[in-house]
Amino acid sequence: VLGAAGTALIKKWEGCHKRRSDGRFEAYPDPGSADGKPWTIGWGSTGADVRQGTVWTQAQCDARFASDILRYADAVARALGTAPTRQNQFDALVSFHYNTGAIAAATLTRLHKQSKFAAAAKEFAKWIYNDGKPMKGLVWRSADEARL
C-alpha cells in the first residue's frame, strides 16, 4: 500500500492540471513528447479513455488516481517479491513506476532486490528523458524519489 509520503510525492510532481473555469479538468497532451502522447488528465492519469476532449470533475480525478495507484503499487510489490523494503523505498518505487511504467525492467529494481540500496537510488537519475531529451521536471522528480 502506498504511504502518505508516496502519495504526496506523486501528487507534487503530477499535479492536477488544466482546471477549466467551470472547475472541471480537461485532458492535455504530454508536454515532453514529440507527438503529445499519451494524453493525460487529473493526477497524471493516462489510458485509452483519456484523449483530446476528455473532461473530468475533481472527484473523477481523485477516484481514478486511487484506483490507478492500487494497480501500480501491486505491480511494484510483485516486482520486488520478498526483497526487504522500507515504506519510503516502496513509495519511491511506486512513484517511479507511476511515471515510467518500467518497474519490471529497470536496473533500479534489480539492485533494490539485491539490497544494493545506494546503487539503486542512483538509478533514479537515469530516468530524466522524454523523447530522448532531459526534462528539468524529471530531473527534480527523480532526485525527490532517490531522497525518499
Side-chain angles (χ1 to χ4, degrees):
V1 176
L2 183 68
T7 299
L9 180 75
I10 294 168
K11 285 187 171 185
K12 171 186 176 181
W13 289 109
E14 294 295 341
C16 199
H17 297 292
K18 294 293 278 183
R19 182 186 297 266
R20 301 172 0 151
S21 61
D22 64 4
R24 296 185 305 161
F25 296 84
E26 64 184 56
Y28 56 92
D30 184 299
S33 68
D35 64 3
K37 294 179 183 175
W39 279 80
T40 306
I41 194 167
W43 300 105
S45 296
T46 61
D49 62 331
V50 179
R51 55 194 167 282
Q52 186 174 11
T54 300
V55 177
W56 287 355
T57 64
Q58 182 71 60
Q60 287 174 299
C61 294
D62 294 345
R64 177 61 173 270
F65 178 77
S67 66
D68 284 351
I69 281 303
L70 292 175
R71 286 186 303 105
Y72 282 90
D74 184 60
V76 170
R78 281 194 320 274
L80 296 178
T82 59
T85 306
R86 295 187 318 268
Q87 183 67 53
N88 280 354
Q89 291 170 322
F90 183 79
D91 288 0
L93 291 167
V94 173
S95 176
F96 166 80
H97 186 47
Y98 192 78
N99 187 48
T100 67
I103 196 69
T107 300
L108 157 58
T109 307
R110 181 177 50 79
L111 291 169
H112 179 88
K113 289 172 71 171
Q114 295 169 354
S115 296
K116 295 179 179 175
F117 303 126
K122 290 179 182 174
E123 289 291 310
F124 285 105
K126 294 181 179 179
W127 294 85
I128 60 168
Y129 300 93
N130 193 344
D131 273 350
K133 295 179 229 162
M135 297 186 65
K136 285 183 183 179
L138 294 178
V139 170
W140 298 329
R141 179 183 185 147
S142 68
D144 275 359
E145 291 167 341
R147 276 191 296 277
L148 184 61

